[in-house]
Amino acid sequence: LLASAAILVPAVAMAEGETIGFSQIGSESGWRAAETTVTKQQAEERGYDLKFADAQQKQENQIKAIRSFVAQGVDAILLAPVVATGWEEVLEEAKDADIPVILLDRNIDAPEDLYMTAVTSDQVHEGMVAGNWLVEAVGDAECPVVELQGTTGSSPAISRKKGFEEAIAAADNISITRSQTGDFTRAQGKVVMESFLKSEGGENICALYAHNDDMAVGAIQAIKEAGLKPGEDIKIVSIDSVPDIHLAMKAGEANATVELTPNMAGPAFDVLEAYWKDGTMPPKWIQTESKLYTSDDDNAAIYESKKDLGY
Ligand code: GZL
């Protein structure tokens, strides 16, 4: 006897064909351009329909984008939050719509139930790695440091400052004499470094700590235009490991960088697929690796390995 025809119900909602909204900060740095490239590639490979929104580094544009994604009824939202505060209201709306939100590359000050997980590096650790490198590099020589901070109010700017200061705290010969935001951009990094050189005098600056490589690359230009040798007269340590900082290190114009992977979307999509498959919930933090590179490394080879990744 033929049993009544089984009604084939998909056992699980397949990830294929899901619609995902991505609220991206902008393209302020080479690193972020690479993150966007990788995210789009990953979505393509996994068969997602990715709705991409570039906020031009404005939180209100990110909030508008999230509201639009909720109205469209997307299956998940990726958010790279430009600053750490001001997200509760709009993330409550996503939660009420049962749309999982995953944070990419930055953290927020909000109740953990408002996002599924955060895929980020340990940004305090990144600052400590940079500070520890400088402590090693200068020994007991007097070393006044200038600091180019990331975007004001962003989690990397807050945490990378904290970690660096912890690392140099015990070194009486190392102190931060000037600190100002360069908003993670090359252009601002150059402008602010020019003001540091003018106010301090290049001969009174031993090192630059930049919260990302793009600001360091801008500062290198300013240091050269001031007639000084970046990487020698002024040591330079920064974060991201973008291709151009490896070119600078190869030329002896920068000294160290802490690598940040642009592939935050891969782990994010993996946990979404696990959730859609059987309801598995990820931990609240998925930490990406941080690796120190210096001018002693084979920077030509590292540049070649990164130059086509969309930076
Ligand atoms: C850090 C990330 C930072 C990069 C910068 O996780 O948010 O934002 O270090 C980018 O290059 O602007």
Side-chain angles (χ1 to χ4, degrees):
L1 280 178
L2 276 182
S4 62
I7 301 166
L8 288 181
V9 176
V12 291
M14 299 302 290
E16 186 78 21
E18 301 290 348
T19 301
I20 296 179
F22 177 21
S23 172
Q24 176 60 297
I25 292 172
S27 53
E28 75 284 353
S29 69
W31 181 88
R32 191 155 302 282
E35 182 186 56
T36 294
T37 301
V38 169
T39 303
K40 289 179 174 177
Q41 285 169 344
Q42 290 268 345
E44 177 81 26
E45 283 163 20
R46 299 169 188 240
Y48 296 149
D49 172 12
L50 186 76
K51 307 283 185 193
F52 180 76
D54 177 325
Q56 311 286 321
Q57 291 215 174
K58 291 183 175 61
Q59 180 175 30
E60 65 265 24
N61 291 342
Q62 293 201 281
I63 291 170
K64 279 187 201 134
I66 294 167
R67 289 209 160 105
S68 166
F69 295 147
V70 172
Q72 293 174 58
V74 298
D75 299 295
I77 292 171
L78 303 181
L79 168 64
V82 61
V83 292
T85 56
W87 299 102
E88 290 83 344
E89 186 183 338
V90 74
L91 293 185
E92 283 287 357
E93 294 165 25
K95 182 168 185 265
D96 292 347
D98 282 330
I99 299 174
V101 174
I102 294 186
L103 305 180
L104 298 190
D105 76 77
R106 294 187 185 178
N107 305 87
I108 62 175
D109 302 338
E112 286 189 349
D113 68 324
L114 291 180
Y115 57 90
M116 176 180 265
T117 188
V119 183
T120 78
S121 55
D122 178 337
Q123 290 150 17
V124 173
H125 174 68
E126 292 168 331
M128 294 194 78
V129 170
N132 289 336
W133 174 84
L134 186 64
V135 168
E136 285 298 303
V138 302
D140 53 13
E142 271 311 299
C143 190
V145 180
V146 293
E147 179 184 26
L148 287 168
Q149 296 183 39
T151 300
T152 303
S154 69
S155 68
I158 294 161
S159 298
R160 289 173 178 173
K161 182 170 189 50
K162 180 173 185 289
F164 185 84
E165 288 173 344
E166 283 172 10
I168 67 169
D172 298 339
N173 58 312
I174 302 175
S175 60
I176 297 173
T177 55
R178 297 295 302 272
S179 181
Q180 194 177 324
T181 184
D183 213 14
F184 283 130
T185 69
R186 294 190 182 202
Q188 271 310 97
K190 181 170 188 278
V191 165
V192 175
M193 189 66 205
E194 283 164 353
S195 73
F196 288 161
L197 289 161
K198 206 165 171 183
S199 61
E200 297 296 296
E203 67 284 359
N204 299 319
I205 299 173
C206 150
L208 162 66
Y209 167 49
H211 291 185
N212 82 334
D213 293 342
D214 278 64
M215 292 190 291
V217 168
I220 286 168
Q221 197 53 42
I223 293 167
K224 283 180 173 177
E225 287 172 8
L228 295 166
K229 293 192 184 71
E232 289 177 42
D233 299 330
I234 297 178
K235 290 179 181 49
I236 297 177
V237 56
S238 53
I239 299 169
D240 279 350
S241 176
V242 301
D244 283 351
I245 204 67
H246 292 282
L247 277 188
M249 288 201 278
K250 178 168 167 285
E253 296 177 349
N255 305 92
T257 185
V258 184
E259 185 176 49
L260 176 71
T261 176
N263 182 13
M264 304 282 175
F269 291 152
D270 287 346
V271 298
L272 278 171
E273 286 164 16
Y275 172 66
W276 284 322
K277 183 168 180 291
D278 58 18
T280 303
M281 289 301 281
K284 281 297 176 182
W285 181 27
I286 297 174
Q287 183 184 344
T288 61
E289 295 303 305
S290 305
K291 177 177 166 43
L292 177 70
Y293 288 109
T294 73
S295 44
D296 296 339
D297 287 301
D298 183 352
N299 285 288
I302 298 166
Y303 173 79
E304 285 303 316
S305 73
K306 289 173 178 265
K307 69 179 174 42
D308 301 322
L309 299 182
Y311 285 89

